[in-house]
Amino acid sequence: MIAIAGFLVIAAILVIGASWLAPRLRVAAPILLVPIGVVVGLIPGVPVIEIEPELILAIVLPPILYAAAVNVPITDFRRNLRSIAGLSIVLVVLSAIAIGFLVHALLPEVPLAAAIALGAVVSPPDAVAATAIGKRLGLPSRLVTVLEGEGLLNDATALVLLRSAIAAIGGAVTLLDVAADFVFAVVVAIVIGMAVGLVTVWARSRIQQPTLTTAISFVVPFLAFLPAEAVHASGVLAVVVAGIITGVKSTRHFSAQDRISERMNWRTIQLLLENGVFLVMGYQLPQIIAEVEHEHLSVWGAVGIGVVICVALLLVRGAFIVPMVLS
C-alpha cells in the first residue's frame, strides 16, 4: 500500500513537471511522458504494479471524458456534429473491420472475431496528443473542435464494438445482434446521460454553495457510467451526454463562482488523469516486453505487426477523411 501511495505521489510530480516542461520544449506533454515512464520502469527495484483494465475503464475514463465534455464549446460541437459522428462512429467501425481482416490475414490462427476485437481497441485515436499538437501547429479551430468531439465519442463506439466482437468469438451473436446491441447501447446511454445531467444540474442549482456543488460534480461521471454499464449500455457515452448537458445548462443555472470553481477543478483532474495514463503506458512497457520474451515470442515481430497496423489505420483514415473534406 505504501509503495502504491509513493508511486502515485511520484507520478503526480512527474506529470506536473512534464506538463510545465513540455511547452518549453515545444512538444505535447503526452509525448514527453511516455519515455519518462519507460525510464522509470527500467529503474532497478521499482515495484511492478499491475493495473486492471476494469479499473481504468470504471475509475479513470469517466472523469476524463466528463471533464472534456463539460467544457466542450456546444455551439461548435453542434455545428460540426455530422463530421464528428462520421469520424467517431462510421470511421471507427470501418477501421476496426479493416484491421480485423488485416490481422486475420497476417495471423491466420487468430479468429476473425478476435482480430476485429483487436481492431476495435486500436481504431479510436487518442484526442489528447492530437488536439495538443493541432493547437500548437495553429490548425483552424473547427478542425480542433472536430478532433475533440471525435475523442469524446469514439471510445463509446469502440467499446460497444469490442464487446460484440468478444461475444462473437464464441459464435453467440449474429450481425443483426451486433446492430441491435449497438442501437440499444447508444439509445439507453443517451437517456441515462440526459437524466443524470438534468437531475444533477437541478440539484446543484438549489444548493448554491460552490464547495458542495463541486463535490456533487465529482460523482456525476459515475452516476452516469455505472447504471449504463449495469444495463449493458454504453457507460462512456452516458458520461459524455451528462457532461454536455451540464455544460449547456451551467450558464443558466449556476453562478459565476460555481462555474469558475468547477472548470478549474475539472481541468486539474483532466490534466492529472490524461497525462497520468501516458506515464503509466510508458511505465508498463518494459514489463510487457519482459512478458513477451518470457513466453518466447518475438518482440520485433510484434513491433512489425504494430507498424503495419498503424500504416493501415492511417490509410483507412485518409481514405475516409479526404472525401469528407472535399465534399
Side-chain angles (χ1 to χ4, degrees), residues 162-185:
L162 174 63
R163 184 175 61 197
S164 299
I166 292 174
I169 293 175
V173 297
T174 64
L175 183 61
L176 182 61
D177 294 329
V178 172
D181 180 60
F182 185 84
V183 172
F184 173 84

Side-chain angles (χ1 to χ4, degrees), residues 92-153:
V92 170
V93 173
L94 291 178
S95 299
I97 294 174
I99 296 303
F101 278 98
L102 174 63
V103 172
H104 183 64
L106 294 174
L107 302 170
E109 65 273 15
V110 177
L112 180 59
I116 292 177
L118 175 61
V121 172
V122 301
S123 292
D126 179 81
V128 179
T131 54
I133 294 172
K135 290 176 181 178
R136 181 166 298 280
L137 292 176
L139 293 180
S141 59
R142 177 178 179 270
L143 292 180
V144 175
T145 299
V146 171
L147 288 174
E148 291 176 339
E150 179 191 5
L152 284 175
L153 300 176

Side-chain angles (χ1 to χ4, degrees), residues 5-31:
F7 176 81
L8 292 176
V9 171
I10 294 173
I13 294 173
L14 290 174
V15 166
I16 294 169
S19 300
W20 174 82
L21 184 61
R24 289 158 177 79
L25 298 177
R26 298 184 179 277
V27 298
I31 297 176

